[in-house]
Amino acid sequence: MNRYPLWKNLLILGVILASLLLAWPNLYSQDPSIEITAARGAEVTEASVGEVRAALENAGVPVKGIEVREGGKLLIRFAASSDQLKGQEAIERSLSARYRTALTLSADLPGWMRAIGLKPMNLGLDLRGGIHVVIDVDMDAALDQALERNLGDVRTQLRDKKIRYQTVTREGARILIKFNDAESRDAGAKALSREFQDLTVQTSQDGDQYLVQASLPETEQQKIKDFALEQNITTLRNRVNALGIAEPSIARQGERRIVVQLPGAQDPGRLKEILGATATLEYRLVDTEGSVADAVAGRVPVGSKLYYERDGKPILLKRRVIVTGDQITDASAGFDGQSGSPAVFVNLDGQGARRMRDVTTENVGKPMAVVFIENRTTTETVDSKPVKTTRKVEEVFSVATIREPFGSRFQTTGLDSSNEAHNTALLLRSGALAAPIQIVEERTIGPSLGQDNIDQGLFSVLIGLGLVVIFMGIYYRVFGMIANLVLLLNLVMIVAVLGALGATLTMPGIAGMVLTIGMAVDANVLIFERIREEIRIGNSPQASIAAGYNKALSSIIDANVTTLIAAVMLFSFGTGPVKGFAVTLTIGLLTSMFTAITCSRAAINLLYGNKRLKTLPV
Amino acid sequence: MIAIKLPNLDFLSQRYRALVFSGVIIGVSLLSLAVLGLNRGLDFTGGTLIEVGYKAPMDLAEVRTALSEGGFGNVMVQQFGTTRDVLLRIPPVGEVNDAELSQRVLHALNEAAPDQVELRRVEFVGPQVGKELAEQSGLAVLFSVIGILIYVAMRFEWRFSVGAVVATLHDAIVTLGVFSLLQIDFDLNVLAAVLTVIGYSLNDTIVLFDRVRENFRKVRKGTVLEIMNQSVNETMSRTIITAGTVFLVVVALYLFGGESLRGFSLALIIGVVSGTYSTIYIASAAAVMLGVSRADLLRTPKEAEADGRP
């Protein structure tokens, strides 16, 4: 007799019910929607619903429904994504002063389902449309900046300590300090290693020159890189939030990359405009002693560098950087309390404030400049072929006189208009990137292609499933129908697990599902063929069932483990879409072992386990 | 009961003929890979790909004119799926990342046919990223083969694992060979398919070897060749049915899954056919030729019993 103990049957039943429940939300339609939140100083209330509805009616945009969500949000559902775009336009036009809109995709779930936290699978960008970009952070530039900052500090420190040195220069990734004699060198090295704990200080001698080399140790470099990446992510998040996308995802990828995903976004141009302004800022003192004319002719004074202002006027600035953009914590436009003229208020972090105070105290009455550094890609035609070069553009965009020493918060006046103040503040704030960035990969999927992908994907799943179901039913009869049943259960479980893990379904993911359908029946084919063999050699039906399952087990496990190895490798080395494929394949392999071995056995046991049989419908 | 009635065929007597046949196919595949190479897709070469949909069927010549007027002479234009969908490919220029290129191209197309063009897809891969993807993919293939080899070597005798790996490499090379000969785009999705083929082909081979091992222990009479043949015949109906169902679904995927999965499903179709053939003719033949004997498998029955497996 073939029987499972009660607990085993109950466990299987429990798993099946849980899977059905978890997979349930996927049956509801995912509506293109607009999420509305209140702008600063406004509120979303019941009255807002009427307002929004009226605005949409005026514009002639059909609405599927409006819901008030917790957290002061409104959700407007549309039947088509074209309505969604028109709707956003209408709301922006008439109500943009008080409300912010964001495009999203929202499943039309009943309230109780949302209350217990059930969610449908996330659809990947290739299925719902959207933009995926990978951004590379220029780590060399980040390290360069850190070294430059240290270079200036080293000079100051030696001067403060009254240690005589010949020169302080940069050689590649090291700071090289030359001394006249061993005594001052050792004093210098001692002072530096005490003051600069994040620098490695080494002494050496070359002829009659006494040298100290300072460099950033590996751990410190790593810290700087990590910081640059984190800082960039934060800044990007602020910039991207301005785009009006409901669930932007900005995540670190590896050592120096950032992945930005904007589901539902449809205009990569706007994103690039925002990302394209990859800028850093530097505050520097103006060199008032050196001759600008000499510098233009090529004789730049030591310790200074030639820059140009926006109108093309040359200007000499000190090489030493006072504060860089990443030390600016906030910048806002306003009006000067005394004169009432437009001003920009800048906040610095602790380290930046200290340096700013030190420098401004020494230099009251002297001019200070803000340098704006941008990475620009230009196209030039060489030999009738376009050649693209990335160029670093450095521009002085404001020069102001230091009136008094200032610290963590200061204001810049002398701006032409409040508009200019506003733009400057914006630049200062969003320009606070620690290192230049560049887009190295982009994948944009238009909404119509996304919909096509879903339709075609679902269709091929259904066709594949249908063919297999028909074949199995004809070939293995009742046992075949049991195989079909567990195959369907397998699909439900894949969907349930994907939803529960919060994994994302992509087009290759659908392909993985289709493939799983084909491979999942293999386990049942192995078992059923074994059962047939056992019957052929004259064993009783009950014994054949047991032997079939037992003997096929080792083959099934071996076969699945090998495919699993390939899937795991795909997951660990693959990116984006390939990962999606690997995830569904892996989940599919695991669930198929459960359904094809355990669940099919349970069904067969329940049907035939207690009967005296002469033949088996296999 | 419907069952495929299969005569008891002497598969292994054909092993030299099969070897010549496979040798020729592998030779052609390798030659093609060496001479023509793979038509590496955007993922590996870097560059820009733009898919646009027109409202009405569009003449490619018009698109080309629009592009060359906009100053994009180096764009490859082709139809994609329907006459309304057009695919543009722009090769990478040196080591430069130009993410804005797609915007300018779209602008040029919009100028030529206002309100007609809809952006369906943009893929831009920087040259550095392309190199990295190619490298990582190579590693993925290498490590899966090594991982699978180790697993098979642990579960079976070494001659079997060599046989399994030879059969698997056979399928991978044939699949790549077809892609090379027909110069079909080889992108990340196809690579994923090739890895799946590797997994599938092994799956098939292992089921056969499992049976061979079992028969060596059970059947006391008979030569190595006879037992091998018997095992191939016993697993034959399963091999055909599984290959058949997988074949059905990948053909469904090929026909109805849309353009973006065509390369992927084609690789699987080739892999399934080749995998079934190689399981029968290559894997077991290789093990026989390496001189596998009953003693090799009987040495470790305890271990197998300890596993609780027959």
Side-chain angles (χ1 to χ4, degrees), chain A residues 359-376:
Chain A
V359 173
T360 49
T361 312
E362 284 170 32
N363 295 287
V364 172
K366 289 183 187 162
M368 187 173 71
V370 182
V371 187
F372 184 67
I373 304 161
E374 212 175 9
N375 253 16
R376 277 189 204 159

Side-chain angles (χ1 to χ4, degrees), chain A residues 308-321:
Chain A
Y308 291 90
E309 290 185 50
R310 288 229 149 145
D311 53 11
K313 213 169 75 189
I315 183 171
L316 263 183
L317 301 184
K318 299 266 192 190
R319 265 185 184 278
R320 208 184 134 190
V321 179

Side-chain angles (χ1 to χ4, degrees), chain B residues 6 15-17 24 31 56 77 82 108 125 127 159 161 166 168 173 216 228 240-241 255-256 262 298:
Chain B
L6 292 163
R15 64 183 187 275
Y16 294 106
R17 235 176 258 177
V24 170
L31 192 71
V77 183
T82 70
V125 176
R159 289 179 183 87
S161 37
V166 167
T168 304
I173 291 171
F216 267 129
M228 284 278 198
I240 290 174
I241 290 166
L255 294 177
F256 308 111
R262 203 136 288 176
L298 292 181

Side-chain angles (χ1 to χ4, degrees), chain A residues 11-31:
Chain A
L11 184 73
I12 292 168
L13 190 70
V15 172
I16 293 173
L17 289 179
S19 306
L20 285 173
L21 185 68
L22 284 171
W24 196 350
N26 293 290
L27 292 178
Y28 294 90
S29 67
Q30 301 238 31
D31 300 329

Side-chain angles (χ1 to χ4, degrees), chain B:
Chain B
M1 178 163 80
I2 310 170
I4 303 173
K5 289 273 183 303
L6 292 163
N8 207 7
L9 292 174
D10 185 6
F11 291 101
L12 282 161
S13 67
Q14 304 294 318
R15 64 183 187 275
Y16 294 106
R17 235 176 258 177
L19 222 60
V20 171
F21 176 68
S22 287
V24 170
I25 289 185
I26 296 282
V28 170
S29 297
L30 288 178
L31 192 71
S32 170
L33 284 169
V35 177
L36 296 172
L38 284 170
N39 186 11
R40 290 181 307 153
L42 170 92
D43 289 332
F44 303 124
T45 59
T48 308
L49 178 150
I50 304 167
E51 187 189 330
V52 290
Y54 281 91
K55 293 221 167 97
M58 192 66 184
D59 191 13
L60 288 187
E62 269 179 66
V63 179
R64 284 199 190 97
T65 318
L67 288 170
S68 54
E69 271 168 14
F72 305 102
N74 56 342
V75 182
M76 265 171 40
V77 183
Q78 69 186 81
Q79 224 104 52
F80 194 66
T82 70
T83 49
R84 289 183 292 133
D85 289 332
V86 179
L87 195 70
L88 315 170
R89 289 166 197 272
I90 308 157
V93 183
E95 292 287 299
V96 183
N97 292 302
D98 186 0
E100 270 87 41
L101 183 63
S102 55
Q103 248 70 47
R104 296 200 298 274
V105 170
L106 274 176
H107 185 71
L109 291 180
N110 258 319
E111 295 268 283
D115 288 333
Q116 287 289 306
V117 196
E118 182 202 20
L119 170 70
R120 287 185 49 93
R121 169 164 66 120
V122 172
E123 288 187 23
F124 157 74
V125 176
Q128 184 57 37
V129 174
K131 265 183 220 158
E132 285 169 18
L133 286 179
E135 236 165 64
Q136 284 176 348
S137 315
L139 283 179
V141 175
L142 190 68
F143 281 120
S144 5
V145 172
I146 291 175
I148 290 167
L149 188 70
I150 292 173
Y151 181 77
V152 179
M154 262 165 34
R155 298 280 293 130
F156 295 93
E157 211 261 339
W158 70 269
R159 289 179 183 87
F160 281 110
S161 37
V162 172
V165 169
V166 167
T168 304
L169 284 180
H170 170 272
D171 303 333
I173 291 171
V174 169
T175 311
L176 292 178
V178 173
F179 272 77
S180 163
L181 269 177
L182 302 178
Q183 289 290 298
I184 305 167
D185 248 20
F186 190 84
D187 57 19
L188 274 180
N189 285 345
V190 178
L191 185 95
V194 171
L195 273 180
T196 315
V197 164
I198 291 178
Y200 173 82
S201 161
L202 262 159
N203 182 331
D204 233 24
T205 308
I206 280 169
V207 170
L208 170 66
F209 284 177
D210 240 27
R211 185 57 75 103
V212 173
R213 180 169 54 187
E214 191 189 320
N215 282 342
F216 267 129
R217 286 175 191 154
K218 202 170 64 185
V219 187
R220 292 286 160 186
K221 281 180 287 184
T223 62
V224 170
L225 269 185
E226 278 165 7
I227 290 175
M228 284 278 198
N229 256 327
Q230 184 192 340
S231 311
V232 173
N233 278 301
E234 280 172 0
T235 49
M236 185 52 85
S237 61
R238 174 265 160 193
T239 305
I240 290 174
I241 290 166
T242 298
T245 52
V246 175
F247 192 76
L248 282 181
V249 293
V250 292
V251 167
L253 204 58
Y254 180 80
L255 294 177
F256 308 111
E259 281 294 328
S260 62
L261 285 181
R262 203 136 288 176
F264 175 86
S265 39
L266 179 66
L268 285 175
I269 290 175
I270 301 165
V272 170
V273 174
S274 169
T276 308
Y277 159 81
S278 74
T279 297
I280 298 169
Y281 285 102
I282 305 297
S284 46
V288 170
M289 284 174 196
L290 284 168
V292 74
S293 69
R294 186 194 301 273
D296 292 330
L297 287 166
L298 292 181
R299 225 176 278 150
T300 54
K302 266 189 193 144
E303 183 194 344
E305 273 158 22
D307 282 352
R309 293 184 189 125

Side-chain angles (χ1 to χ4, degrees), chain A residues 375-393:
Chain A
N375 253 16
R376 277 189 204 159
T377 307
T378 47
T379 312
E380 283 165 67
T381 309
V382 178
D383 296 335
S384 76
K385 269 188 199 158
V387 174
K388 285 155 200 83
T389 42
T390 309
R391 204 154 48 96
K392 193 170 164 191
V393 181

Side-chain angles (χ1 to χ4, degrees), chain A residues 98-407:
Chain A
R98 280 175 297 142
Y99 302 120
R100 301 252 172 282
T101 60
L103 299 177
T104 181
L105 204 62
S106 178
D108 198 0
L109 299 181
W112 64 267
M113 222 178 242
R114 213 168 327 161
I116 57 173
L118 288 179
K119 271 181 297 188
M121 281 180 292
N122 294 323
L123 294 183
L125 294 182
D126 51 353
L127 295 180
R128 61 187 288 194
I131 304 173
H132 164 109
V133 290
V134 180
I135 291 163
D136 187 76
V137 180
D138 189 347
M139 288 301 174
D140 295 338
L143 289 177
D144 267 5
Q145 266 177 18
L147 214 56
E148 279 296 327
R149 261 203 304 271
N150 277 309
L151 192 72
D153 288 345
V154 164
R155 271 202 204 99
T156 319
Q157 196 61 39
L158 292 175
R159 226 179 291 134
D160 284 356
K161 290 266 154 58
K162 307 225 164 23
I163 299 166
R164 289 177 57 87
Y165 62 91
Q166 275 185 346
T167 54
V168 177
T169 51
R170 224 187 100 190
E171 263 187 17
R174 293 174 311 174
I175 297 172
L176 197 66
I177 310 141
K178 288 183 183 158
F179 293 91
N180 284 326
D181 50 61
E183 233 169 284
S184 47
R185 179 197 62 185
D186 293 342
K190 208 171 141 197
L192 292 182
S193 45
R194 192 169 51 237
E195 284 300 319
F196 295 89
Q197 281 165 1
D198 43 356
L199 286 180
T200 311
V201 179
Q202 282 175 317
T203 57
S204 63
Q205 189 173 1
D206 179 18
D208 59 347
Q209 279 194 325
Y210 297 88
L211 306 172
V212 169
Q213 294 175 0
S215 57
L216 292 165
E218 201 62 38
T219 49
E220 189 59 31
Q221 289 189 15
Q222 196 53 49
K223 230 159 78 190
I224 290 166
K225 287 178 184 174
D226 282 346
F227 182 75
L229 207 59
E230 290 306 318
Q231 174 102 15
N232 268 306
I233 289 175
T234 315
T235 315
L236 284 177
R237 190 162 286 141
N238 287 334
R239 287 184 185 180
V240 164
N241 280 342
L243 277 174
I245 305 292
E247 308 125 55
S249 135
I250 298 163
R252 176 184 178 149
Q253 183 188 59
E255 287 278 287
R256 51 183 292 163
R257 302 254 163 87
I258 301 168
V259 179
V260 179
Q261 290 194 313
L262 306 174
Q266 286 157 18
D267 185 0
R270 260 180 87 193
L271 172 69
K272 278 176 217 159
E273 271 170 26
I274 285 189
L275 297 182
T278 57
T280 48
L281 284 170
E282 285 168 4
Y283 275 89
R284 289 168 189 265
L285 280 175
V286 177
D287 182 358
T288 44
E289 286 144 31
S291 151
V292 175
D294 277 2
V296 172
R299 293 184 298 276
V300 182
V302 179
S304 294
K305 198 174 163 193
L306 186 66
Y307 285 89
Y308 291 90
E309 290 185 50
R310 288 229 149 145
D311 53 11
K313 213 169 75 189
I315 183 171
L316 263 183
L317 301 184
K318 299 266 192 190
R319 265 185 184 278
R320 208 184 134 190
V321 179
I322 307 169
V323 166
T324 54
D326 57 286
Q327 290 166 323
I328 297 174
T329 53
D330 195 20
S332 55
F335 296 94
D336 179 31
Q338 284 164 358
S339 64
S341 60
V344 176
F345 301 94
V346 180
N347 282 10
L348 296 176
D349 67 5
Q351 203 192 349
R354 219 172 308 125
R355 292 189 47 101
M356 189 55 104
R357 186 159 46 242
D358 290 351
V359 173
T360 49
T361 312
E362 284 170 32
N363 295 287
V364 172
K366 289 183 187 162
M368 187 173 71
V370 182
V371 187
F372 184 67
I373 304 161
E374 212 175 9
N375 253 16
R376 277 189 204 159
T377 307
T378 47
T379 312
E380 283 165 67
T381 309
V382 178
D383 296 335
S384 76
K385 269 188 199 158
V387 174
K388 285 155 200 83
T389 42
T390 309
R391 204 154 48 96
K392 193 170 164 191
V393 181
E394 293 176 305
E395 253 176 0
V396 175
F397 86 93
S398 120
V399 181
T401 307
I402 302 166
R403 296 198 197 283
E404 55 188 6
F406 43 76

